[in-house]
Each structure stands twice: as structure tokens, then as C-alpha cells.
Amino acid sequence: MCSSDLERATIGGYTKIACVITADLPKAAQSKAGDVLRFQAVNINEAHKILFELNNKLRELEARINNIKNYAVKINNKIYQVSIEKLN
């Protein structure tokens, strides 16, 4: 193969049979070889709505986690009460 062959782009490309919406990318990225993936047709507005709802859920979860101040930690079958304080 000569160098000029390597410098040329393919013509026509490949057929795209599906794409993953942004909200589902983490799920798709965690799939393993052999996993079955099912695609469902959604329009752009539905995809935006799903992403918006996911982002809201993540913000709510973050707020709940940030509001937790006391934890019970079990070490060697003994439970310790632990508080988290912000240092300035």
C-alpha cells in the first residue's frame, strides 16, 4: 500500500443503525461483551427530557448526600458514631 492510499478518507462511510442518548451512555459503557442491548426509538425532545430528569435526580442525590452529617460505622462488630464537619 502506498502512502497516498493511507492519506485518503473512505467514501460513503458506514450505516449507523442506532445511537445511544446521552442519559444512557453510562449504562452502555458498563455493558460487557455478550450483554444484550435493546434500543428504543426516541426523538430529540424525549432524549432531552430524559437527560433533564436524570440530571435532576443526580442533583437531588448529591444534595441528600451533602446533608448527611452523622454516620454509623461498624468496625470489628463495634459500631462507632462518626460526624463530618466542614473545615474552613
Side-chain angles (χ1 to χ4, degrees), residues 41-78:
V42 295
N43 64 40
I44 191 74
N45 291 331
E46 291 171 310
H48 285 163
K49 181 182 176 195
I50 293 166
L51 181 59
F52 179 79
E53 290 170 355
L54 175 64
N55 285 335
N56 281 342
K57 287 179 184 177
L58 290 173
R59 278 193 288 277
E60 289 172 13
L61 179 60
E62 181 182 27
R64 289 176 62 191
I65 289 170
N66 288 336
N67 286 330
I68 296 173
K69 303 293 182 215
N70 297 302
Y71 297 87
V73 178
K74 187 174 183 180
I75 301 173
N76 294 330
N77 291 324
K78 185 168 182 182

Side-chain angles (χ1 to χ4, degrees), residues 11-44:
I11 298 175
Y14 300 96
T15 303
K16 183 188 271 189
I17 61 167
C19 87
V20 178
I21 61 174
T22 302
D24 288 339
L25 283 174
K27 293 178 196 173
Q30 293 177 39
S31 63
K32 300 178 296 296
D35 284 353
V36 175
L37 302 178
R38 290 190 172 88
F39 290 84
Q40 178 179 345
V42 295
N43 64 40
I44 191 74

